[in-house]
Amino acid sequence: MAGSDADPNPWTALSASLRPSEDTAVAWLRGLGNNPAAPPEVLVGLFDAGPRPCVYFLYRDDLPDGVLDAAVVHPAKSVRVTAAEAGRLSPAQWSRLLAATDDPALRAVLAELAADQASYRASGARIGVANPPSPGSRPPSTPAEIATMAAAVPDITADSPTYAVWWIAALHSDTDAMRRLAASPNLLIRRSVARAPRLPPDVVELLAHDTDRVVRLLSESCEDAPADLLLEVWSWWSGSFSFPGRPRNHPNFPRHGLLRFAEDPAPRMRLLALDDPASSALLVERFSHDPDALVRTRAALDPRLSAASAVRLTGDADHHVHSSARRNPALPADALVSSLLDDHCAEAAARNPAIPTAVMHRMISLATPRQRP
């Protein structure tokens, strides 16, 4: 364990004389880019690390202040282009990026990208909504026009992929229109209503009990989805890239009363018990022995996990479990260092927030090829 007489400072294993393998070096850089405790100076240091800098972390939505500011003026084209493509730059950052780009052809491409991103934001375009047939298309404005256009919407089967009908999305703020359309027998129309950001209570109640699962996924985009619907959807839906974290990170997802699921036969429901503020370290330990890998993974991520269990779970047969255990700050330093030196798990270990900042800098230095004399 860390601090033992045999190894009082395990971090000395990452000394200046260490020569990590190329695979380990790349794994460190990738992991540090996604380490939630990595300060701005560490992330900025990754811009110049390795034979080819690993800068995909610029897509993170939780980047510390200052990282993008440094990226847009970095001399490496790959860093500036990745920052631009991530889609999170402010107008001032775009101006600095374009000013820092000497190549006229690249500057023109980046300027077009900036304009496209600004146009998309200004248009109010939303995820999961089909585009209008033409720039001049206008949604219906009267009940009669709504009925006429609704009659022309083709029906679909339950297994059909769906984008919300553009004109229905344009009427999402019209509560009367949503009430009429939510009662439609046409599945595409009901799915289109379910994409509304806000809906009146009676419409939410109607759609929450729809026989179609995709309609009930209003829990992804609708801020008014009720807690019972969110729990029901969680039992069978693992989420999508379009709405990451939903339904579990929905503001209406219950945060209390989840301990009742600790004995639930369904693993997805059982793991929710650890999200209850009334849960305990004892429950974390119990779940670390759960027969289901989903539940063990949730326990492996919990900072209340004991050091001994964190070590034990690094040997779990399930990839998600042992990777999660290596990211847990409860993992003792000697076990963490051992994982950092293993090609097969170095990336997960490099995401552990318990790595001291000075060691993060040392890892970057060790992972960066030295110039031959």
Side-chain angles (χ1 to χ4, degrees), residues 48-62:
D48 300 304
R52 292 187 63 185
C54 303
V55 293
Y56 291 110
F57 65 86
L58 291 174
Y59 282 85
R60 283 173 48 181
D61 58 7
D62 61 344

Side-chain angles (χ1 to χ4, degrees), residues 178-184 190 193 199-212 215-216 218 226 229:
M178 293 302 99
R179 285 191 175 96
R180 285 191 293 271
L181 294 170
S184 172
R190 299 200 311 280
V193 173
L199 287 168
D202 56 319
V203 176
V204 170
E205 176 68 15
L206 178 65
L207 297 182
H209 293 90
D210 199 282
T211 56
D212 180 67
V215 172
R216 299 205 300 279
L218 67 94
L229 171 64

Side-chain angles (χ1 to χ4, degrees), residues 8-355:
N9 183 7
W11 298 110
T12 58
L14 303 178
S15 66
S17 62
L18 178 68
R19 296 294 182 268
S21 70
E22 183 177 342
D23 287 344
T24 293
V26 171
W28 285 357
L29 301 179
R30 287 176 176 167
L32 288 174
N34 289 291
N35 190 313
E41 63 270 19
V42 166
L43 297 177
V44 171
L46 293 172
F47 295 162
D48 300 304
R52 292 187 63 185
C54 303
V55 293
Y56 291 110
F57 65 86
L58 291 174
Y59 282 85
R60 283 173 48 181
D61 58 7
D62 61 344
L63 280 176
D65 292 340
V67 176
L68 286 176
D69 286 326
V72 298
V73 296
H74 194 272
K77 179 178 75 172
S78 61
V79 175
R80 284 179 281 119
V81 169
T82 303
E85 292 175 341
R88 303 184 187 282
L89 299 184
S90 67
Q93 288 168 332
W94 269 114
S95 296
R96 292 196 294 274
L97 184 149
L98 294 173
T101 303
D102 296 329
D103 182 348
L106 178 59
R107 188 167 57 247
V109 170
L110 291 173
E112 183 176 357
L113 178 60
D116 287 345
Q117 290 182 6
S119 175
Y120 182 84
R121 288 191 292 269
S123 71
R126 302 206 326 264
I127 295 171
V129 175
N131 293 322
S134 66
S137 298
R138 295 290 180 268
S141 57
T142 67
E145 290 178 351
I146 291 173
T148 298
M149 294 188 74
V153 174
D155 208 348
I156 58 174
T157 59
D159 59 353
S160 299
T162 305
Y163 282 89
V165 177
W166 71 272
W167 63 264
I168 297 178
L171 296 177
H172 274 165
S173 60
D174 184 334
T175 56
D176 289 335
M178 293 302 99
R179 285 191 175 96
R180 285 191 293 271
L181 294 170
S184 172
N186 184 302
L187 181 55
L188 179 55
I189 289 177
R190 299 200 311 280
R191 286 185 178 182
S192 299
V193 173
R195 281 296 180 209
R198 305 305 300 255
L199 287 168
D202 56 319
V203 176
V204 170
E205 176 68 15
L206 178 65
L207 297 182
H209 293 90
D210 199 282
T211 56
D212 180 67
R213 279 190 167 190
V214 178
V215 172
R216 299 205 300 279
L217 280 179
L218 67 94
S219 58
E220 287 192 325
S221 51
C222 182
E223 296 300 299
D224 301 298
D228 57 348
L229 171 64
L230 296 169
L231 281 172
E232 187 264 328
V233 169
W234 167 257
S235 70
W236 53 266
W237 181 246
S238 57
S240 66
F241 290 113
S242 299
F243 298 90
R246 293 290 176 102
R248 199 167 167 189
N249 66 358
H250 191 287
N252 292 343
F253 197 92
R255 303 293 183 259
H256 298 270
L258 298 175
L259 280 177
R260 71 184 190 274
F261 295 116
E263 308 294 339
D264 198 286
R268 286 183 60 81
M269 301 307 292
R270 194 158 65 245
L271 64 82
L272 291 178
L274 289 181
D275 292 346
D276 194 308
S279 64
S280 66
L282 288 176
L283 184 60
V284 178
E285 292 301 308
R286 194 181 101 198
F287 277 9
S288 75
H289 294 274
D290 195 274
D292 191 272
L294 275 175
V295 181
R296 296 198 308 279
T297 297
R298 173 61 184 85
L301 290 169
D302 199 300
R304 296 170 292 180
L305 187 69
S306 70
S309 288
V311 173
R312 171 173 52 81
L313 290 178
T314 62
D316 196 278
D318 185 88
H319 168 75
H320 297 289
V321 176
H322 66 69
S323 294
S324 297
R326 289 185 171 91
R327 291 161 49 194
N328 195 314
L331 190 67
D334 56 349
L336 178 51
V337 170
S338 178
S339 294
L340 287 169
L341 296 174
D342 185 334
D343 287 353
H344 301 291
C345 53
E347 183 171 346
R351 296 178 64 177
N352 194 308
I355 300 174

Side-chain angles (χ1 to χ4, degrees), residues 1-10 334:
M1 303 292 285
S4 67
D5 292 338
D7 195 3
N9 183 7
D334 56 349

